[in-house]
Amino acid sequence: MTDLPSGLKPLELAQYVRDQIQRGHTYSRARKHRFRWKSVTVRLTTLVLSAASTIILGLQNLDPWTGTAFSLVAVVTVVSALEPFFAWRSLWVLMEEASYRFHRLQDDLGYYIASTPPEQIDLERVREMFEQYQQIWDGLSDRWLKFRENG
């Protein structure tokens, strides 16, 4: 768990927390896109292979096609096993949620900084927002580990 730097003025501390939140948001957004792409790719591959194998199995009087169809069914089985193992869809949704939470916290802190004169920024309120930031990371890490354990 990261601790807040000391010796900063309240506005500087608020900007530090805002930068930390932005980094978390950027991280979760990038991971979310990567996991979504992998999840969609696996789903589409499974769909295409299943459809092709079903069509080919309908042509059973041609031995080469039948062999190809059975091969495709085997490939579909392997590809279908990848998604639960890697949990890309679950991780994509997890990153979507983390991205939302980071964005929301960033908006709250940005509004607080913009609507409060620098000399009136409450250090305790900034610390609370930093605690929320760390809670987002803690929740993200805990759920990430659960998805990976179940995979």
Side-chain angles (χ1 to χ4, degrees), residues 121-145:
I121 291 178
D122 180 16
L123 197 57
E124 192 54 39
R125 186 155 178 203
V126 174
R127 286 185 193 279
E128 289 171 6
M129 290 185 180
F130 184 72
E131 285 296 320
Q132 289 176 12
Y133 165 75
Q134 289 192 311
Q135 288 172 1
I136 294 169
W137 273 116
D138 288 345
L140 178 63
S141 296
D142 289 344
R143 290 180 58 201
W144 176 281
L145 288 172

Side-chain angles (χ1 to χ4, degrees), residues 64-76:
W65 285 108
T66 304
T68 303
F70 283 117
S71 299
L72 287 175
V73 169
V75 171
V76 167

Side-chain angles (χ1 to χ4, degrees), residues 10-76:
L11 179 59
E12 293 170 332
L13 187 61
Q15 291 170 335
Y16 170 82
V17 171
R18 186 175 56 189
D19 291 343
Q20 291 293 104
I21 294 167
Q22 179 59 42
R23 278 201 293 275
H25 186 244
T26 299
Y27 170 84
S28 63
R29 186 175 50 234
R31 301 292 288 211
K32 172 185 69 174
H33 291 299
R34 190 169 116 199
F35 293 136
R36 179 177 52 203
W37 178 84
K38 287 181 178 184
S39 178
V40 168
T41 299
V42 167
R43 296 279 179 169
L44 288 177
T45 301
T46 301
L47 175 67
V48 167
L49 292 174
S50 293
S53 63
T54 301
I55 291 169
I56 292 171
L57 281 172
L59 307 172
Q60 287 188 20
N61 54 352
L62 301 174
D63 288 328
W65 285 108
T66 304
T68 303
F70 283 117
S71 299
L72 287 175
V73 169
V75 171
V76 167

